[in-house]
Amino acid sequence: MHWSDSYIGMRWQPYATGNGAFDCWGLVQHCLKQHYGITLDRYIDIVTDDHKAFNRAVFTELSGGQWIKIDKPIDGTVVLMSQNKLFHHIGLFTDGLVLHSKDGADVCKETLKTLQKTGFKRIEFYIHERIAKSS
């Protein structure tokens, strides 16, 4: 059993960062800290449905110089997803799947192909330099 399996079925809740509930950013933030020792800002002031603010916060985090854009994900890779132009959803590539939390589905793992079929037209991968060095 992979560590990510223990999160499956935990409920989606806006702004949640643990204790049985997560939003998408809270899940990624929690897992990177717990399983990879990487700390991300919470950006608690961002409204869940504000795609512009979410996109801005994500790229503020990624532009800190420790993140590398990659073409093929490995365990620990941050997965950014969008159904249009701006990224509005985030997950973590782990155990060959994307671990993410979404309204209506809670925490789940899905294949990249399934995510594309459900409408995520733009998917990008970023890995922290510490994870890349240890792989």
Side-chain angles (χ1 to χ4, degrees):
M1 183 166 145
H2 193 269
W3 63 259
S4 60
D5 294 333
S6 65
Y7 294 92
I8 303 302
M10 290 186 180
R11 75 185 188 288
W12 176 89
Q13 181 179 328
Y15 311 106
T17 59
N19 294 326
F22 295 95
D23 66 6
C24 64
W25 183 265
L27 178 66
V28 170
Q29 179 196 32
H30 174 85
C31 290
L32 284 174
K33 176 71 174 169
Q34 293 298 311
H35 303 284
Y36 298 96
I38 296 167
T39 302
L40 300 178
D41 283 339
R42 178 62 189 128
Y43 299 105
I44 198 68
D45 57 324
I46 295 175
V47 178
T48 302
D49 291 335
D50 186 344
H51 296 179
K52 285 183 182 178
F54 177 86
N55 199 67
R56 194 170 38 254
V58 166
F59 281 100
T60 296
E61 190 69 44
L62 295 176
S63 67
Q66 298 176 320
W67 293 92
I68 305 160
K69 186 177 178 183
I70 59 175
D71 293 327
K72 187 176 178 190
I74 60 171
D75 272 15
T77 300
V78 168
V79 181
L80 293 178
M81 296 166 264
S82 173
Q83 293 176 328
N84 50 46
K85 193 172 167 183
L86 297 175
F87 289 112
H88 56 87
H89 190 53
I90 191 168
L92 194 67
F93 193 82
T94 179
D95 196 29
L97 301 165
V98 179
L99 179 71
H100 64 121
S101 181
K102 62 183 180 179
D103 191 7
D106 299 327
V107 176
C108 59
K109 289 199 297 191
E110 296 183 286
T111 65
L112 290 167
K113 188 171 274 195
T114 297
L115 290 168
Q116 290 168 329
K117 285 181 182 177
T118 58
F120 290 108
K121 298 174 184 146
R122 184 174 171 211
I123 298 175
E124 290 184 6
F125 310 109
Y126 292 84
I127 192 154
H128 194 278
E129 63 186 11
R130 230 180 315 154
I131 298 171
K133 287 178 185 174
S134 66
S135 296

